Amino acid sequence: MNITKYIVFVIERNTIMKKEKLKKKFNYWLDKQMAKGTISIIRLLTTTVFSVVVFVSLLIFLFKLRSSFFSAFWDSLATIINAWMPSSDDGEAGYIVLNTFTAIVGLFFTSILIGVVSSGIEERIDSLRKGNSAVLEQGHTVILGYNCGEHGLLKQLILATGFSKRCIVIFTDIEKPDMEQDLKNNVEIPKNITVLCRNGDITNINDLRCCSIETAEIVIVNAMNDNRRIKAILAASSLLKEYKDAHVRLIACVTNDKYMLPQQKTTEENITMLKTADIMAKIIAHTTTEPGLSIAFKELMNFEENELYFEKSDQLRGKSVMQISGSLNYAAMVGIKHDGKIIMNPRSDFVVGDGDELILFEQMKGQYRIRKQEEKNLEDRLAPKMLKEAKGKIGIFGYNGLLKIILSELPEDVRDICILSDKKEVCSLAKKYPKRNIEIVDTSYENHLEKYAGQFSHIVLLTDREKEKEDADIDTILLLLKLQDIMERRGFDYNIVAELNMEGSYNISLKSKNIDYIVNSSISSLILAQIAESPDLEYVFNELLTNKGNELYSKPIRNFNLNTKHDYSFDALKRIVLSYGYTLLGAMHEGNLKMNPDLDERIIFDEDDRLIVLGRE
């Protein structure tokens, strides 16, 4: 008896275990089908419904409740689709019972189907709203990385496009509605420009696929820090390796040398990398002793007014630089691309040959005019000795990684420098620059600003990069306001160069003719846009932003022996400046910058006016 009970127990237990196992398998299979999404659920529902219809139709036909299987199948299908309950007049009791079951199944089918379809549509709309759909464009521009409030890069690309059609894809981890609202509020997008916002991780290869970067013309990495920039470059580069026929340029700026990729890799994979720290430091160094130069740099780098173009001209072939200078109106020739090499500020006797491209600084490509002129007095003349401008003492407030480059790039005749910072790294700097007289003030200077400010002719404010960008910018702006107040109250005379991190900080800053702002995000945007439009400009900017070779200067008029009692034509000014070995780009008159004026326009200078020129010191 006990054995019999045991056998029964074992059989029941095995049966239960099999049922539990089958139940688990079914639940697992169902979960997998549900996880596949809306289409899989609809497919499962459809299969179930047709199975029920076929089963019921067979029963109706076998019990001869209808004359044919097709008739039974059609009645069951209509009942299940309409979820229509049969009446007593529709047939025999068996037929009514079977179709009642079919109608109940149809009711569940309809309810579930409506829910699934509604959920699928909502999911699709949500996906579109988030910006996860694939881009089906060719020859478009992809920007990897975006920060609300920073629109410089996009604005420059729009300006560079002009009236041509262009598609720009912005890919970042910011939600699509937030990006679109920010762009709507801050950027005017013309009808010929299409801007598509997509959401995802710029460092994830699979996320990048939705941008179709393999069919793009340019990919610009615009992330907010070096870590993400280099990851985005490597991710995009790895993705492009899957497409042998892809010819896409990757462009990025980094701030730290350690993130620079090896030259062999950048050459093989068509990657252009620029060091913004170097660019920023060089612009700060050049602007420190050349007030107003930051405006000229911005004018040179942006697409708003004048910009740099490579052009060929049959009319100018065979003419010397001196001859071209006297005949070229509404443009300045800053260099020549000769035999594949770029020569900035060529000698006045350099003759333009076949195949040479002129590098022109003008408002629009081809806008220059060649005017007729007399051939006399076109050769070089002996210019009076150029007068040197006293540099005075420089005060640098704060410390960051740019300081070493700034000290290296300052003009050689700058001797007296005072660095006001309590950072330990500053103390070792003085020994590295024996030709300069560097004084270190490592105590807190906030309470002694008046004592120190009066000693300087030029002041540099460096942002604290250990703080949040907005906090560091506010500290810089507050210090700037204090220094400006001291200058006005005490009658001091110094110009200030202030480094800022964000464009938004510049918008709320004090504007004055003695203050030059160098904005990190703005400079990066300008350089990225310029190189994206013309890769050869990388070599131009590399030369302009170093103290070796040709540089951009803001020089007082007295350096060229000009006086304030004579009115000069810009034609005459071009020739005078060229006789000193410089190229005239414009003039700073009464606080306003005038670039590429009409050669016949005349000007009477004030004592504080300056000329914007290109040349060697």
Side-chain angles (χ1 to χ4, degrees):
M1 189 67 180
N2 291 334
I3 294 175
T4 305
K5 287 183 178 180
Y6 176 74
I7 293 172
V8 171
F9 169 75
V10 170
I11 294 172
E12 289 179 349
R13 186 186 66 179
N14 289 339
T15 303
I16 292 172
M17 289 179 66
K18 287 180 180 179
K19 288 181 178 179
E20 288 293 327
K21 192 173 182 180
L22 287 172
K23 184 179 179 181
K24 287 182 178 179
K25 284 185 176 180
F26 175 77
N27 288 337
Y28 177 70
W29 173 83
L30 186 61
D31 286 343
K32 284 172 58 178
Q33 298 302 314
M34 299 288 283
K36 291 179 180 179
T38 303
I39 299 299
S40 178
I41 297 173
I42 292 176
R43 189 185 302 117
L44 182 63
L45 280 173
T46 304
T47 304
T48 303
V49 166
F50 269 92
S51 299
V52 171
V53 169
V54 170
F55 175 72
V56 171
S57 301
L58 282 172
L59 290 177
I60 292 174
F61 177 69
L62 290 174
F63 285 106
K64 298 182 179 180
L65 299 174
R66 280 289 183 271
S67 58
S68 67
F69 174 78
F70 177 77
S71 177
F73 179 83
W74 183 257
D75 287 349
S76 298
L77 182 63
T79 301
I80 205 167
I81 290 175
N82 295 321
W84 172 72
M85 297 292 289
S87 66
S88 57
D89 298 331
D90 291 331
E92 299 179 19
Y95 177 83
I96 294 173
V97 170
L98 288 173
N99 271 343
T100 298
F101 169 74
T102 306
I104 293 171
V105 172
L107 182 64
F108 279 105
F109 166 74
T110 304
S111 301
I112 295 172
L113 182 62
I114 292 172
V116 169
V117 172
S118 175
S119 176
I121 293 173
E122 184 179 347
E123 182 181 334
R124 182 58 180 166
I125 292 174
D126 188 57
S127 176
L128 291 172
R129 184 181 65 83
K130 289 182 177 179
N132 296 326
S133 59
V135 173
L136 302 178
E137 297 284 343
Q138 290 189 347
H140 54 293
T141 299
V142 179
I143 301 175
L144 301 181
Y146 177 81
N147 185 46
C148 291
E150 299 293 315
H151 314 103
L153 177 58
L154 180 59
K155 288 180 178 179
Q156 289 301 310
L157 291 176
I158 291 173
L159 288 169
T161 303
F163 297 104
S164 303
K165 289 187 177 181
R166 187 175 201 169
C167 178
I168 301 173
V169 178
I170 302 175
F171 186 73
T172 187
D173 55 2
I174 300 174
E175 294 291 338
K176 180 183 176 183
D178 295 336
M179 281 193 285
E180 291 178 338
Q181 188 62 45
D182 183 64
L183 293 175
K184 183 179 179 181
N185 294 340
N186 297 283
V187 182
E188 184 177 347
I189 301 174
K191 292 182 179 179
N192 61 302
I193 303 289
T194 302
V195 177
L196 303 177
C197 298
R198 292 294 181 266
N199 175 266
D201 183 359
I202 64 173
T203 66
N204 187 298
I205 294 178
N206 291 324
D207 284 2
L208 288 177
R209 294 183 191 278
C210 80
C211 296
S212 298
I213 65 172
E214 70 278 1
T215 62
E217 181 182 5
I218 308 164
V219 176
I220 303 174
V221 179
N222 190 41
M224 294 305 293
N225 60 68
D226 283 346
N227 193 352
R228 289 188 63 77
R229 288 184 193 119
I230 197 66
K231 285 183 178 179
I233 293 171
L234 295 175
S237 177
S238 298
L239 179 57
L240 288 172
K241 288 179 181 178
E242 299 178 11
Y243 304 89
K244 295 181 180 179
D245 297 332
H247 299 284
V248 184
R249 286 194 292 130
L250 294 174
I251 306 172
C253 288
V254 295
T255 59
N256 197 314
D257 284 346
K258 74 176 183 179
Y259 290 100
M260 293 293 290
L261 295 174
Q263 186 175 358
Q264 182 178 354
K265 182 177 179 63
T266 58
T267 303
E268 291 176 353
E269 300 181 16
N270 202 11
I271 301 173
T272 300
M273 297 192 71
L274 302 169
K275 291 184 285 186
T276 51
D278 287 6
I279 296 170
M280 286 291 301
K282 290 170 182 177
I283 293 177
I284 291 172
H286 294 182
T287 307
T288 299
T289 57
E290 308 275 345
L293 194 60
S294 65
I295 303 174
F297 267 117
K298 185 177 180 181
E299 179 78 15
L300 189 69
M301 293 178 180
N302 69 22
F303 293 94
E304 289 183 16
E305 294 291 340
N306 295 277
E307 53 188 287
L308 295 169
Y309 295 101
F310 288 81
E311 297 197 43
K312 289 184 179 180
S313 173
D314 294 335
Q315 293 175 278
L316 297 176
R317 191 184 303 122
K319 291 188 176 182
S320 68
V321 172
M322 176 65 80
Q323 290 174 314
I324 293 174
S325 178
S327 62
L328 202 60
N329 204 4
Y330 303 113
M333 188 179 74
V334 300
I336 295 177
K337 188 174 182 181
H338 176 69
D339 291 338
K341 296 181 180 179
I342 291 177
I343 304 171
M344 297 299 292
N345 188 37
R347 302 185 318 272
S348 61
D349 60 351
F350 187 97
V351 177
V352 177
D354 293 336
D356 289 349
E357 286 185 86
L358 306 182
I359 306 175
L360 300 182
F361 185 57
E362 55 186 330
Q363 190 166 14
M364 293 181 64
K365 190 169 185 177
Q367 190 185 38
Y368 67 90
R369 295 292 178 267
I370 301 174
R371 66 177 195 171
K372 293 182 179 179
Q373 58 178 345
E374 297 180 2
E375 294 297 323
K376 62 181 181 180
N377 299 325
L378 293 180
E379 299 302 321
D380 286 355
R381 63 181 176 84
L382 291 175
K385 185 177 180 182
M386 173 172 275
L387 300 176
K388 291 288 185 179
E389 183 180 20
K391 301 300 184 183
K393 188 174 183 179
I394 296 176
I396 301 176
F397 288 72
Y399 170 85
N400 60 37
L402 303 184
L403 183 56
K404 294 179 182 178
I405 306 173
I406 292 172
L407 292 175
S408 300
E409 292 291 333
L410 282 170
E412 295 180 359
D413 56 348
V414 171
R415 293 288 182 265
D416 297 325
I417 301 172
C418 179
I419 303 172
L420 300 94
S421 173
D422 56 1
K423 301 288 185 181
K424 296 179 180 178
E425 296 87 345
V426 178
C427 299
S428 60
L429 285 178
K431 299 178 181 178
K432 296 181 179 180
Y433 303 93
K435 294 183 179 180
R436 303 193 194 273
N437 178 26
I438 299 178
E439 175 188 357
I440 306 295
V441 177
D442 59 359
T443 59
S444 177
Y445 54 78
E446 283 81 358
N447 297 326
H448 306 282
L449 284 178
E450 296 198 25
K451 170 186 173 183
Y452 295 114
Q455 304 175 16
F456 307 129
S457 300
H458 314 281
I459 292 177
V460 177
L461 306 183
L462 297 180
T463 185
D464 188 345
R465 301 200 170 186
E466 294 180 0
K467 293 184 177 181
E468 292 291 332
K469 291 183 177 180
E470 290 187 3
D471 294 339
D473 281 351
I474 289 297
D475 290 346
T476 301
I477 292 171
L478 291 175
L479 178 56
L480 181 63
L481 291 172
K482 292 176 183 178
L483 290 169
Q484 191 73 3
D485 176 67
I486 292 171
M487 184 178 68
E488 293 173 357
R489 286 191 294 102
R490 298 290 300 274
F492 295 149
D493 184 20
Y494 45 72
N495 62 284
I496 303 173
V497 179
E499 179 199 5
L500 295 174
N501 292 302
M502 313 291 287
E503 289 179 29
S505 302
Y506 169 75
N507 295 333
I508 63 172
S509 300
L510 173 69
K511 306 300 187 296
S512 175
K513 66 179 183 180
N514 70 303
I515 302 174
D516 285 273
Y517 291 98
I518 313 296
V519 185
N520 281 316
S521 60
S522 177
I523 294 298
S524 298
S525 298
L526 294 175
I527 294 291
L528 284 171
Q530 287 283 349
I531 302 303
E533 294 302 305
S534 181
D536 283 339
L537 288 179
E538 178 185 356
Y539 303 99
V540 174
F541 290 126
N542 279 340
E543 179 162 349
L544 294 181
L545 295 170
T546 178
N547 57 5
K548 296 179 181 179
N550 291 280
E551 302 175 49
L552 201 62
Y553 294 102
S554 168
K555 291 189 174 295
I557 60 170
R558 58 181 174 273
N559 283 29
F560 298 97
N561 296 281
L562 302 175
N563 61 61
T564 58
K565 297 179 181 180
H566 179 71
D567 65 326
Y568 297 89
S569 69
F570 278 93
D571 182 11
L573 288 174
K574 269 192 172 184
R575 297 169 188 247
I576 292 171
V577 169
L578 191 61
S579 69
Y580 285 91
Y582 293 87
T583 298
L584 178 68
L585 300 182
M588 187 76 70
H589 178 56
E590 296 178 346
N592 298 314
L593 181 63
K594 182 182 287 291
M595 304 291 277
N596 276 335
D598 187 333
L599 291 181
D600 292 324
E601 185 177 339
R602 306 189 75 84
I603 185 171
I604 300 177
F605 288 112
D606 296 331
E607 289 185 0
D608 295 331
D609 289 348
R610 307 178 76 90
L611 296 181
I612 307 300
V613 298
L614 172 69
R616 296 174 182 267
E617 188 72 315

